Amino acid sequence: MHILLVTLNIFIPDSHSLKEKRREIKSLKDKLCHRFNASVAEVDKLDSWQQSVIAVCMVSNERSYLEKQLSLIEELSLEYTSIQIISISREWL
């Protein structure tokens, strides 16, 4: 069994309140969750208006499948125009 944990450090330049931030983050989380059947949560910077840390976790019996999904997750996140990705880290458990 292989477990992949992807952490996205995000900056939201057009957010001027927690409400605006949460709308953008919810949209991204929902898209990641539904497209990749992954567990997604905001795990840090919860009270910051313009920053967020999102964790995406996936489990599979094939590492090659997770590697392919990892590249698709990165691609989708970078295409999201209302946010800026500061960093992406990946961890194999």
Side-chain angles (χ1 to χ4, degrees):
M1 175 175 58
H2 301 278
I3 303 169
L4 173 63
L5 175 63
V6 180
T7 307
L8 306 169
N9 195 345
I10 298 171
F11 178 68
I12 309 152
D14 295 331
S15 176
H16 302 291
S17 69
L18 285 174
K19 189 175 185 178
E20 290 177 7
K21 170 201 170 181
R22 289 188 178 125
R23 182 181 31 187
E24 294 295 333
I25 295 303
K26 181 175 178 5
S27 175
L28 176 62
K29 285 174 28 183
D30 289 347
K31 194 167 278 196
L32 288 168
C33 184
H34 294 303
R35 182 161 306 167
F36 298 104
N37 195 21
S39 295
V40 183
E42 183 177 12
V43 294
D44 199 6
K45 313 259 185 189
L46 299 173
D47 293 329
S48 173
W49 289 6
Q50 293 186 314
Q51 293 184 330
S52 181
V53 178
I54 303 272
V56 181
C57 186
M58 298 178 71
V59 178
S60 178
N61 58 351
E62 295 181 24
R63 185 178 171 119
S64 60
Y65 172 77
L66 291 177
E67 288 172 351
K68 183 178 177 183
Q69 296 302 303
L70 170 62
S71 64
L72 293 173
I73 288 170
E74 291 175 344
E75 213 174 278
L76 175 76
S77 301
L78 292 172
E79 288 175 0
Y80 224 77
T81 58
S82 61
I83 64 170
Q84 296 174 2
I85 302 296
I86 297 170
S87 65
I88 299 175
S89 63
R90 49 196 95 34
E91 208 175 319
W92 294 95
L93 306 171

